[in-house]
Amino acid sequence: MCGIVGGVGPSILAAEVFEGLKRLEYRGYDSAGLALIGTGGVEVIRTACGRHSLDDLKGRIDELTPGASLVIGHTRWATHGAPTLENAHPHTDCTGRVVLVHNGIVDNFRELRAEVVSHGHELKSATDSEVIAHLIEEELAAGMEPAAALGSVFSRLSGHMALVAAFAQFPGSIFGIRRTSPLLVAEGDGRSFFASDAPAILDVATSFYEMPEERVIAIGKLANGAAGVSTLTPLAIDWASQDVELVGHQSFYEMELSQEAGAFLDTVSSLIDEGGGAVVDELKVDPYELKRLRKVTVVGCGTSYHAGLVGRFLIEHFAKVPVEVDVASEYRYRDPILDDDALVVGVSQSGESLDTITAVKGAAAAGARTLAVTNVIGSQLSRLSDTVLYTRAGPEVSVASTKTHLSQIGALALFAIYLGELKGHIYPEEAREARNSLRKVAAAIEVALERKRGYEEKLAPFVGTDRFFFIGRNLQYPVALEGALKLKELSYLAAEAYPAGELKHGPIAMLDSEAVVVALVPRDRLREKVLANIEEVRARGARVIVVAFDGDDEAATLAEAALFVPEVRPIWSPLVTVVPLQVMAGAVARSRGLNLDRPRNLAKTVTVE
Ligand code: AGP
């Protein structure tokens, strides 16, 4: 999705804002640009070279006059208009004195575009964003101050978006406003910044602030009609700049995969006290309210949705509360039956996925209590929910999530145990024991990660295949879904996931000797059933890979390759069985010569519907 970085203050360099854009590259983009206000007015450079746009932009920074005190930058992920030079941001008005960058979609842009065209404005692009610059131009011409003009135009725009604008007559201030879409404010070394997310500016900013909605904020010099940084709520972001640097690995995907045992341990440790009890001060919901919960709904997208599916088993197991799980983009258009005995849990690594945000907002409006499980402090989801459980996975740069997935499951598991304890379904001693056993799973995850090379060797004969099926039952079905999603995202291959028992109801027709079936068969109460499903698959000639617990020779004899993971309690098994599948997705993509950090068509944080 589009990324925004803007900086103002003495000695701000276009190169610094560029570095911020570089750090937003992971969000996905297809064109990029920079603008500054120098002594000669607004200067803009833009480029549309697809994934190489930032490399191209870097080579052109010298075209900008040095010594400006205000620079704004943008990476664009095309929505309205193709990824061309004309459509790249920043955009300007007819006078060239208003310059802006925009993330999100102006839903009513057609009528607004028709309006500005009818007023004689010449539009140079097909974007919804440029229209905003011309509307602001009209307000300025009518005598408004920049902040008022921006606020007035913004109130006419429908949709979710963040806007950052600068004005030639105000070279000391940048103005920002947002609705739902991410944007934060930061300061450091006498300079002030706007950015789509914190990783973009970790090396230049020391203090971070929440950006309110629907309010024009000015950074740099104070400006009439705009609130300044002193009015904003600080954000306790403790990530360091080195957390987002690629060290010792070929890709962020592989680096973050290697960190996942630590990320999981940090997350669960932050939610367990020394005596094995729950750290409940994180969970700011009245225990009595939790105790009378009669229904939990978990919503999320992609990998976070899959963590929610695992969460369903955990909550039903420990807390005996009925749980439904839905894809956020579907849930938001349902008519769910909710009241204040219902809790809706939004799971989102970024806390900025628009689908999840709107699903949780809708649930709150229908009377439900809400809980966010997110990795980003101060994210939109964390702010709109009644309470938050933070995962402590550190920043996740890779588009394809790994370490946050395990951390989400860890947080949901601890919530499930706490709820079970509150509701009296498990004794405090059992709860403590369950928490401690969960914490110990980190060691098993680490062992599985240490086997990465071994998994890759066993997978080598399969990397040329282009049809994969993942099967598992109960807790392993979400793992199958996650394995298939990882492979799709990174390798663009057809990968399907099914509950193992469902194969015979149709999908088995697709199996032949060209197909590879990855069967998840940990030692649990359904193991025999899955072994029988593997026999069915073998009888159709498909090649089989099993993911099984150490020592399960029986499962191994049914497969061409066995990917063993250390044995853990069946209830924690998704935390280890997913590891070989994450390795597999990376290995297959690499064998096909694909860049693991730049999967085509994907954005890290999906802030549009
Ligand atoms: C994960 O590998 C994917 N990139 C994607 O499915 C992701 O999980 C989804 O977009 C949700 O993102 P969120 O967790 O930030 O809300």
Side-chain angles (χ1 to χ4, degrees):
M1 297 288 114
C2 302
I4 291 175
V5 182
V8 62
S11 69
I12 194 85
L13 300 175
E16 289 174 301
V17 172
F18 171 82
E19 285 306 322
L21 292 182
K22 201 63 192 143
R23 288 184 163 187
L24 291 180
E25 194 174 11
Y26 74 93
R27 295 165 68 93
Y29 81 107
D30 42 49
S31 53
L34 283 170
L36 59 74
I37 299 189
T39 43
V42 173
E43 297 175 29
V44 179
I45 53 170
R46 294 179 296 172
T47 175
C49 306
R51 293 171 178 186
H52 303 292
S53 296
L54 284 175
D55 297 334
D56 189 53
L57 195 66
K58 188 173 186 185
R60 295 186 44 204
I61 289 180
D62 290 348
E63 293 172 24
L64 295 168
T65 309
S69 57
L70 184 162
V71 183
I72 60 176
H74 189 264
T75 47
R76 174 171 188 253
W77 190 83
T79 57
H80 292 59
T84 60
L85 197 58
E86 298 72 37
N87 293 333
H89 297 217
H91 288 289
T92 51
D93 66 334
C94 295
T95 68
R97 294 176 63 76
V98 178
V99 61
L100 59 80
V101 290
H102 171 229
N103 170 21
I105 290 175
V106 180
D107 290 341
N108 56 339
F109 109 99
R110 275 174 228 289
E111 66 189 68
L112 295 173
R113 185 179 174 94
E115 178 186 315
V116 294
V117 168
S118 74
H119 292 177
H121 293 265
E122 260 182 48
L123 272 69
K124 301 173 278 297
S125 77
T127 64
D128 49 349
S129 317
E130 188 195 347
V131 173
I132 306 169
H134 294 277
L135 289 168
I136 293 174
E137 176 190 349
E138 292 199 352
E139 300 289 30
L140 293 177
M144 273 193 193
E145 294 270 355
L150 177 59
S152 157
V153 169
F154 195 77
S155 67
R156 297 188 61 201
L157 309 175
S158 56
H160 304 282
M161 70 198 79
L163 257 178
V164 163
F167 300 82
Q169 72 266 41
F170 276 95
S173 317
I174 307 182
F175 301 78
I177 188 165
R178 72 178 194 99
R179 182 181 305 128
T180 317
S181 300
L183 192 66
L184 56 77
V185 174
E187 288 184 325
D189 217 7
R191 288 106 54 92
S192 308
F193 302 90
F194 280 118
S196 294
D197 64 24
I201 46 175
L202 285 174
D203 55 346
V204 285
T206 46
S207 320
F208 298 84
Y209 303 88
E210 270 183 20
M211 176 77 187
E213 292 199 44
E214 309 282 348
R215 216 169 105 204
V216 178
I217 300 295
I219 59 169
K221 288 199 182 125
L222 282 179
N224 277 349
V229 178
S230 63
T231 64
L232 303 180
T233 309
L235 283 171
I237 290 175
D238 57 1
W239 294 346
S241 137
Q242 55 270 28
D243 293 343
V244 289
E245 265 149 35
L246 185 59
V247 182
H249 291 268
Q250 285 180 290
S251 65
F252 279 102
Y253 180 78
E254 286 153 312
M255 185 175 93
E256 289 166 4
L257 176 54
S258 77
Q259 296 167 344
E260 67 183 349
F264 169 80
L265 187 60
D266 288 347
T267 299
V268 297
S269 299
S270 72
L271 298 169
I272 304 176
D273 67 23
E274 279 184 9
V279 174
V280 284
D281 45 336
E282 284 253 1
L283 206 60
K284 296 188 183 66
V285 174
D286 187 338
Y288 294 101
E289 281 187 24
L290 286 178
K291 211 170 166 176
R292 67 185 178 89
L293 278 185
R294 286 192 296 138
K295 179 181 175 183
V296 175
T297 301
V298 188
V299 294
C301 313
T303 292
S304 297
Y305 165 68
H306 298 157
L309 288 172
V310 175
R312 169 167 66 195
F313 287 93
L314 302 175
I315 296 168
E316 290 183 343
H317 175 79
F318 287 108
K320 314 282 182 247
V321 179
V323 182
E324 66 162 336
V325 190
D326 206 349
V327 170
S329 55
E330 286 296 308
Y331 183 77
R332 60 179 292 203
Y333 292 112
R334 282 173 48 192
D335 292 317
I337 298 146
L338 292 167
D339 55 28
D340 62 359
D341 287 346
L343 178 76
V344 174
V345 184
V347 183
S348 171
Q349 175 280 130
S350 60
E352 302 291 352
S353 290
L354 186 62
D355 289 323
T356 309
I357 288 169
T358 44
V360 172
K361 267 189 184 167
R369 305 309 313 265
T370 55
L371 163 68
V373 175
T374 181
N375 197 43
V376 180
I377 291 175
S379 58
Q380 189 85 347
L381 187 66
S382 71
R383 277 183 273 158
L384 67 88
S385 303
D386 294 327
T387 188
V388 189
L389 280 180
Y390 283 112
T391 51
R392 309 278 172 186
E396 188 175 68
V397 171
S398 167
V399 172
S401 294
T402 52
K403 61 178 181 174
T404 54
H405 180 61
L406 297 196
S407 302
Q408 289 167 340
I409 295 174
L412 288 168
L414 290 169
F415 173 69
I417 297 169
Y418 178 59
L419 197 56
E421 201 180 351
L422 270 183
K423 283 184 157 286
H425 293 299
I426 41 175
Y427 291 113
E429 195 42 53
E430 287 174 294
R432 259 194 292 280
E433 201 277 328
R435 287 186 195 100
N436 287 333
S437 77
L438 178 68
R439 189 164 19 202
K440 287 187 189 139
V441 175
I445 298 168
E446 190 61 56
V447 171
L449 288 169
E450 283 162 10
R451 296 178 185 175
K452 178 172 181 271
R453 185 67 57 84
Y455 295 149
E456 286 168 349
E457 278 166 14
K458 286 184 179 175
L459 289 166
F462 301 90
V463 294
T465 312
D466 54 13
R467 213 154 24 104
F468 287 89
F469 297 82
F470 294 78
I471 59 169
R473 282 173 178 249
N474 269 211
L475 274 160
Q476 295 305 315
Y477 174 51
V479 181
L481 285 167
E482 179 59 10
L485 177 65
K486 286 279 96 71
L487 198 58
K488 283 185 258 214
E489 282 186 289
L490 294 182
S491 304
Y492 324 142
L493 290 172
E496 306 238 18
Y498 293 101
E502 183 67 9
L503 266 190
K504 58 185 176 294
H505 294 287
I508 202 164
M510 291 189 283
L511 298 187
D512 58 24
S513 59
E514 303 289 305
V516 171
V517 177
V518 182
L520 295 146
V521 56
R523 221 173 266 115
D524 61 16
R525 68 193 170 94
L526 291 169
R527 177 176 165 280
E528 300 294 332
K529 300 276 177 208
V530 183
L531 291 181
N533 297 135
I534 294 172
E535 294 286 14
E536 291 160 10
V537 163
R538 280 159 48 95
R540 271 77 193 173
R543 302 170 73 193
V544 177
I545 298 171
V546 291
V547 176
F549 281 159
D550 281 343
D552 192 345
D553 296 335
E554 188 185 8
T557 54
L558 296 180
E560 219 177 302
L563 308 176
F564 287 116
V565 292
E567 181 153 4
V568 295
R569 290 183 186 179
I571 191 77
W572 305 141
S573 57
L575 291 160
V576 287
T577 54
V578 76
V579 176
L581 306 192
Q582 294 168 327
V583 171
M584 177 179 179
V588 174
R590 203 168 268 303
S591 76
R592 298 169 78 88
L594 299 169
N595 183 326
L596 271 53
D597 287 338
R598 295 191 185 178
R600 76 178 175 207
N601 304 338
L602 295 184
K604 176 68 177 162
T605 308
V606 184
T607 53
V608 296
E609 212 181 326

